[in-house]
């Protein structure tokens, strides 16, 4: 079925999002961008995983992993104290 047909029938955007497994914002985006003749029976959007983002601990990952192998019960505070950090003063 086409998105236009469902909207003409009075089906809410929230109901359409539940039926087709896409977010309400996606339905809203389709309406705003004029994709009312979109065939919804073929499936919705295909989401891809987000790209990995760097973490603050990444530069210290090797130190942390090696210390935890050697001392598995070490506290986070102790690990933090052992990591070299730049001192700005």
């Amino acid at each position: 079925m086409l998105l236009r047909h469902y909207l003409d029938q009075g089906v809410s955007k929230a109901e359409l999002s539940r039926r087709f497994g896409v977010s309400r914002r996606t339905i809203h985006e389709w309406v705003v961008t004029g994709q009312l003749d979109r065939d919804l029976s073929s499936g919705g959007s295909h989401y891809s995983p987000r790209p990995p983002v760097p973490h603050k601990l990444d530069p210290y990952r090797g130190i942390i992993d090696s210390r935890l192998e050697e001392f598995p019960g070490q506290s986070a505070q102790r690990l933090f104290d052992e990591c070299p950090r730049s001192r700005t003063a």
Side-chain angles (χ1 to χ4, degrees):
M1 289 276 193
L2 300 178
L3 179 60
R4 182 185 310 275
H5 173 77
Y6 284 114
L7 293 173
D8 289 343
Q9 296 296 319
V11 179
S12 71
K13 293 176 184 111
E15 177 60 27
L16 290 173
S17 70
R18 282 190 289 276
R19 285 187 192 181
F20 298 105
V22 296
S23 73
R24 288 181 301 153
R25 293 194 53 83
T26 300
I27 298 289
H28 179 72
E29 181 67 24
W30 290 343
V31 171
V32 168
T33 59
Q35 298 182 42
L36 295 177
D37 295 324
R38 184 182 192 94
D39 185 11
L40 295 177
S41 61
S42 65
S45 295
H46 298 283
Y47 300 109
S48 60
R50 291 183 179 180
V53 295
H55 295 94
K56 289 182 181 180
L57 293 178
D58 284 346
Y60 310 106
R61 180 75 55 205
I63 296 168
I64 293 170
D65 289 342
S66 68
R67 296 303 287 167
L68 285 176
E69 276 184 30
E70 194 173 345
F71 303 104
Q74 196 169 30
S75 70
Q77 182 62 50
R78 180 70 181 250
L79 287 169
F80 178 77
D81 290 340
E82 291 182 13
C83 287
R85 50 191 178 268
S86 63
R87 299 184 190 261
T88 57

